Amino acid sequence: MMNLPHLTFLRSFEASARHLSFTTAAEELNCTSSAVSNHVRSLESFLGRPLFVRHSRSLELTDLGEAYLPSVRQALLQIDMATKSVLSKSSRQTVAISCPMTLAEQWLAPVLAGFGRENPGVRITVHGTVWHDVQADVSDLSIVLGHDDDPPANSYRLWSDRLTLVCAPGYQVDGETFCEAEQLEKASLIQILGRSEYWEDVALSLGLERLNNPSLMRTNASGMALEMACNGAGVAALPRSLALPYLREGRLREPIFLNIVVPWAYYLSIREGVKSSAATALFDWLQKEALLMQEETSGTSPL
């Protein structure tokens, strides 16, 4: 690239040409009038021809100055626009988080809405997962379900949960409202695949024989189990944190209080090497919200 005049010289020339005054240009550029005058002289020396006719109290553009000004003005405008674009992109922050689908729908969505109101400049992408996390390096933050016997490494346990039984408000067993433990032996049980211990723990806690009645509905997703229960398909046993939105809205009820600690928990981690301030802020926000969830999941009476 050929040798070009200093950008400061061009800015001083453009401002002086616009105001036809070194003094006014200096006020705009926050420097002295002698500095602006020297910048313009340096530019004229670089070009080998004068840009202004200097009168005792005013300036006048030469023919060269008149011809040169539009191109300089356009070039400075393009530099300003390009700089603003770069600054805008660098200030825009993005965070990607992966989370089990049901938890993302029931807990994470409203939590992220609150975070977004407090941090309007952060763009968030949520990857819903079933059973397994997304591919490595896709998410800055990850929430995974882990067993107490084998918790994920370098992760934060969000809260301790307890099991709850839920059914539709009008669900009945043999024509009677479901409200007694003994009715479970004839109730339709909704089975969550991979979580058979839930019903085993329920039977043990309530002093029932092993529940042998067949599960008429089975699913691999807790969210689907909740919807089945809402529609009167039977009784579901699952972590209370997932059922809370349904309980608050009155779409489900807890017919029997259980005090069974769930051996599975949600664990939050931040990917190694992630230094984004937005990711760190979201990590802290999720920890704070998890404390509020802990208070609700440890409630001592049904909603």
Side-chain angles (χ1 to χ4, degrees):
M1 181 180 290
M2 65 173 291
N3 189 27
L4 296 174
H6 199 285
L7 182 61
T8 303
F9 301 167
L10 295 174
R11 286 201 177 278
S12 291
F13 164 65
E14 191 279 331
S16 299
R18 185 158 25 88
H19 297 293
L20 292 177
S21 167
F22 290 147
T23 300
T24 307
E27 292 175 355
E28 178 184 308
L29 299 173
N30 195 29
C31 60
T32 64
S33 58
S34 60
V36 171
S37 177
N38 288 334
H39 294 163
V40 173
R41 287 190 184 281
S42 296
L43 180 59
E44 290 173 325
S45 177
F46 180 87
L47 297 173
R49 295 170 63 184
L51 296 168
F52 292 102
V53 176
R54 291 160 174 81
H55 301 293
S56 58
R57 294 184 178 277
S58 64
L59 296 174
E60 180 183 350
L61 283 166
T62 63
D63 290 342
L64 175 63
E66 291 278 7
Y68 192 41
L69 179 60
S71 297
V72 171
R73 183 168 291 158
Q74 181 63 31
L76 291 174
L77 178 62
Q78 289 180 340
I79 291 172
D80 286 344
M81 291 176 61
T83 302
K84 288 177 182 177
S85 176
V86 170
L87 290 175
S88 174
K89 290 178 180 177
S90 63
S91 64
R92 185 183 302 138
Q93 300 186 71
T94 62
V95 183
I97 179 170
S98 60
C99 179
M101 190 70 74
T102 301
L103 186 69
E105 294 170 346
Q106 308 304 332
W107 177 73
L108 186 62
V111 166
L112 291 181
F115 179 81
R117 286 190 292 270
E118 294 292 326
N119 302 270
V122 178
R123 181 180 299 170
I124 300 174
T125 300
V126 180
H127 299 284
T129 62
V130 177
W131 296 111
H132 300 292
D133 196 7
V134 294
Q135 230 175 349
D137 298 336
V138 169
S139 299
D140 303 301
L141 304 179
S142 294
I143 298 176
V144 298
L145 192 62
H147 199 278
D148 289 345
D149 293 338
D150 187 25
N154 302 316
S155 59
Y156 171 83
R157 196 175 197 260
L158 288 177
W159 58 76
S160 298
D161 219 332
R162 66 175 178 82
L163 278 181
T164 188
L165 294 180
V166 293
C167 62
Y171 181 71
Q172 296 183 340
V173 177
D174 287 343
E176 295 184 1
T177 299
F178 174 55
C179 60
E180 300 290 340
E182 291 73 15
Q183 292 174 287
L184 275 176
E185 296 177 343
K186 293 185 178 180
S188 297
L189 308 184
I190 299 172
Q191 177 71 53
I192 300 175
L193 299 174
R195 301 290 182 266
S196 59
E197 70 266 35
Y198 287 174
W199 279 118
E200 294 171 4
D201 290 344
V202 168
L204 181 62
S205 174
L206 296 177
L208 302 174
E209 294 293 330
R210 184 180 179 88
L211 295 171
N212 294 317
N213 46 333
S215 299
L216 301 180
M217 297 287 180
R218 305 171 73 204
T219 176
N220 68 338
S222 298
M224 182 59 68
L226 289 165
E227 289 297 326
M228 289 174 176
C230 279
N231 285 278
V235 184
L238 72 174
R240 193 169 193 260
S241 61
L242 302 180
L244 278 172
Y246 291 80
L247 296 169
R248 295 193 195 103
E249 295 169 5
R251 299 176 62 196
L252 289 173
R253 64 183 177 91
E254 292 174 290
I256 303 169
F257 175 75
L258 299 177
N259 191 23
I260 304 172
V261 176
V262 179
W264 297 84
Y266 292 106
Y267 291 86
L268 170 67
S269 63
I270 187 166
R271 180 162 51 86
E272 185 178 359
V274 171
K275 299 179 180 179
S276 160
S277 59
T280 302
L282 180 55
F283 186 88
D284 294 340
W285 184 275
L286 294 176
Q287 287 182 311
K288 181 189 71 173
E289 291 292 327
L291 293 176
L292 299 178
M293 174 59 79
Q294 182 64 74
E295 294 177 5
E296 293 197 78
T297 56
S298 59
T300 57
S301 61
L303 289 182

